[in-house]
Amino acid sequence: MSSSEFLNLIVTNSNNDSYSVERRFKKDVSIAEFKNKLELIVGCQSNLMKLEIYNKNDDIVCQPNENDRTLGSYPVEDGMRVHVVGDSEQTNEEGVRKFELSQEEYSKRSDTLKAFLKEHKLGKYDEEEAKKKEEQKQQELKNEERLLSAMKVGDRCEVIVPGNPKRRATVMYIGKTDFKSGWWVGVKYDEPFGKNDGSVAGKKYFECFDKYGGFVKPTCVVVGDFPEESIDLDEEL
């Protein structure tokens, strides 16, 4: 857990969708200095980059691009993602082509975070830790597949998401999705507790009314004899 003076942020880069790394930054760092630090991480020239901050639900929170402000003056919280936007094919306001390091050139530099992690075998370059994470990931997938084998579309269920009350629903979709990797269960809630109508990012996975649909991990779904809860109108009189 980071102290109140620091923020742990995940750094991603628009020029390399597969690249991400977690770093710690001081809250009182100026945005100008923050960009300089990010330049060493992603290889994009600091005075040409644009920043976007996303929360854990991948919703954009702010765009911290005022160089004289501090990082902590924006609504940035621990665990959020800072996305560095850069396009080497565009030019700046003076018509000068933007400079960005290629991934090959970036890999050759010795003053980058990547070089430091490699030298000290940290993060994704810690082979033992990487192997452990991969084994854990494979075990989680097997567990999800086991749970999925016991359910089918049309099953009644209870959805139990940590931090939320139990909600009754009907299983409407089982499988992979385009919006996130792994296995997902699409459900139609008995009440409007959902986030969609069975569609995400323009793709339709199942049919239901808006705000009645949702997608949850298999571990959050318990199938069984869960009849729809009805309201006794006589009790309301």
Side-chain angles (χ1 to χ4, degrees):
M1 181 180 294
S2 63
S3 70
S4 58
E5 298 179 3
F6 293 89
L7 288 167
N8 287 322
L9 301 176
I10 298 170
V11 180
T12 56
N13 176 12
S14 64
N15 288 330
N16 187 353
D17 293 338
S18 63
Y19 179 80
S20 68
V21 65
E22 186 172 349
R23 290 295 305 274
R24 188 171 73 156
F25 302 95
K26 279 191 171 183
K27 286 184 177 180
D28 62 3
V29 67
S30 70
I31 296 301
E33 186 180 353
F34 182 47
K35 288 182 176 180
N36 288 335
K37 293 179 182 295
L38 291 172
E39 179 178 348
L40 293 177
I41 299 174
V42 302
C44 176
Q45 195 169 346
S46 61
N47 65 319
L48 298 177
M49 65 174 60
K50 296 295 182 183
L51 306 181
E52 299 173 346
I53 301 292
Y54 292 82
N55 61 24
K56 294 180 181 179
N57 293 324
D58 217 26
D59 299 320
I60 191 165
V61 173
C62 61
Q63 296 176 304
N65 291 301
E66 298 177 57
N67 290 336
D68 56 343
R69 288 181 59 175
T70 63
L71 179 61
S73 68
Y74 289 90
V76 184
E77 298 178 2
D78 217 35
M80 288 187 174
R81 175 169 66 91
V82 54
H83 185 62
V84 181
V85 179
D87 187 347
S88 58
E89 295 302 318
Q90 294 183 3
T91 57
N92 60 18
E93 294 178 358
E94 288 73 34
V96 179
R97 185 170 178 171
K98 292 182 179 181
F99 166 77
E100 287 185 5
L101 292 176
S102 67
Q103 289 301 310
E104 182 180 356
E105 292 171 327
Y106 178 73
S107 297
K108 292 178 180 178
R109 292 181 60 166
S110 60
D111 59 347
T112 64
L113 173 66
K114 183 176 182 179
F116 177 83
L117 293 176
K118 275 188 172 181
E119 180 182 356
H120 297 279
K121 296 183 178 179
L122 299 172
K124 65 179 180 180
Y125 300 103
D126 183 341
E127 294 181 2
E128 184 176 342
E129 182 64 22
K131 182 180 179 181
K132 187 184 299 183
K133 286 184 177 180
E134 181 60 26
E135 290 176 348
Q136 182 179 354
K137 180 180 178 181
Q138 292 303 318
Q139 184 58 44
E140 289 175 352
L141 285 173
K142 287 181 180 179
N143 184 45
E144 289 183 348
E145 289 172 356
R146 178 183 60 79
L147 292 171
L148 290 176
S149 67
M151 66 179 74
K152 63 184 183 299
V153 172
D155 281 346
R156 290 290 297 165
C157 66
E158 276 193 338
V159 178
I160 307 172
V161 176
N164 291 302
K166 292 181 181 179
R167 294 170 177 172
R168 292 189 177 182
T170 301
V171 175
M172 302 294 290
Y173 176 85
I174 298 173
K176 300 289 183 70
T177 67
D178 290 344
F179 58 84
K180 274 191 179 179
S181 62
W183 294 100
W184 292 87
V185 179
V187 298
K188 178 179 70 175
Y189 292 107
D190 291 353
E191 298 178 79
F193 293 135
K195 296 183 178 180
N196 53 59
D197 63 352
S199 302
V200 178
K203 181 171 180 177
K204 195 75 170 177
Y205 293 91
F206 61 90
E207 296 284 347
C208 73
F209 291 120
D210 191 26
K211 302 302 181 184
Y212 279 79
F215 289 85
V216 293
K217 298 302 289 180
T219 51
C220 297
V221 180
V222 178
V223 297
D225 183 17
F226 298 110
E228 291 190 33
E229 295 179 316
S230 59
I231 299 174
D232 189 343
L233 296 179
D234 291 337
E235 294 181 357
E236 301 294 322
L237 299 178

